[in-house]
Amino acid sequence: MDLCHIPATREKGWYLALMAPNTKGPNYAWLDPSRLYCHPQGLQDCVADLLHPFQGDPIDLVAGIDAMGFILGAAVATALRKGFLAIRKAGHLCVETLTEPYTDYSGREKVMEVRTDAISPGARVLLVDQWVETGGTMRAAIRLVEQLGGVVAAGAEPYARPAGVAVICIEDSEGGRWLRENYKCAHCVPPRLQPRFDRHQ
């Protein structure tokens, strides 16, 4: 799809066609959304679709996960007129941090960190990333936010679910299902396309 083309009818997820498939082999993610971010209307509609389920919800802070979650998270924070917190891969921050180990989608063991002075107790945090495949990265980010007293979404009561998780795609994996069951989630993949995304087609 041309990066200047805007379809006459913009259904939810129309911009997913801008993403490029993996041409480099199994050590890489199967699909690259970064081309989507180059399309002005595509990026705007993606952000709008991610925020739609959270309309009227109190959100104090947006947090994005290293590295591609920084792009989408910053765009979401700007749309909401909220601050943005970067959750980093360990070893990059020169201030006091809290760390959390995790296993990423490729099975590699990693560590994530967040500065300890950016989340006030009770702050309602919207976590943003590009993709949830196995859920390990997002689960670690949630643990970091909650250990610092932030609220991603806890409990079954509506008032206790003020923010949550926003990503382009949540795959139907064990981790993806756990996330959907326990947190308020937004994603951009229409139901008719979800099976294709789950099969990496």
Side-chain angles (χ1 to χ4, degrees):
M1 183 183 293
D2 190 310
L3 288 176
C4 296
H5 174 72
I6 300 174
T9 303
R10 304 200 316 268
E11 298 178 353
K12 178 182 177 180
W14 70 268
Y15 42 79
L16 297 175
L18 291 160
M19 299 189 294
N22 175 355
T23 60
K24 291 189 173 181
N27 292 330
Y28 294 84
W30 75 279
L31 197 61
D32 176 30
S34 62
R35 190 165 176 267
L36 187 165
Y37 306 146
C38 298
H39 192 293
Q41 191 64 57
L43 178 58
Q44 289 178 54
D45 288 356
C46 176
V47 168
D49 287 343
L50 289 176
L51 288 177
H52 182 75
F54 300 103
Q55 287 183 351
D57 287 6
I59 295 171
D60 300 313
L61 182 68
V62 176
I65 300 173
D66 199 341
M68 298 305 283
F70 293 169
I71 298 167
L72 204 51
V76 166
T78 300
L80 288 173
R81 297 179 180 270
K82 300 295 180 181
F84 174 78
L85 172 65
I87 298 179
R88 305 292 309 271
K89 293 184 179 77
H92 296 289
L93 293 172
C94 63
V95 295
E96 186 177 347
T97 61
L98 184 66
T99 61
E100 183 70 31
Y102 69 102
T103 303
D104 74 3
Y105 69 91
S106 68
R108 289 177 288 195
E109 298 292 327
K110 296 183 178 179
V111 178
M112 171 181 304
E113 69 180 356
V114 65
R115 60 185 307 139
T116 58
D117 60 356
I119 298 177
S120 303
R124 295 154 298 199
V125 180
L126 179 61
L127 267 168
V128 180
D129 201 3
Q130 185 167 263
W131 212 269
V132 170
E133 189 167 334
T134 63
T137 305
M138 183 60 74
R139 194 179 292 216
I142 289 170
R143 285 196 294 264
L144 286 172
V145 169
E146 292 180 344
Q147 286 178 67
L148 291 173
V151 178
V152 177
E157 302 85 357
Y159 68 83
R161 299 171 66 89
V165 171
V167 296
I168 291 175
C169 176
I170 303 174
E171 294 187 25
D172 187 28
S173 60
E174 182 180 347
R177 289 189 294 274
W178 175 86
L179 195 64
R180 290 175 192 262
E181 290 166 6
N182 291 281
Y183 294 88
K184 184 172 184 178
C185 297
H187 67 97
C188 301
V189 179
R192 64 184 174 79
L193 294 179
Q194 187 69 47
R196 294 182 60 187
F197 279 75
D198 293 336
R199 293 193 299 267
H200 290 188
Q201 296 178 344

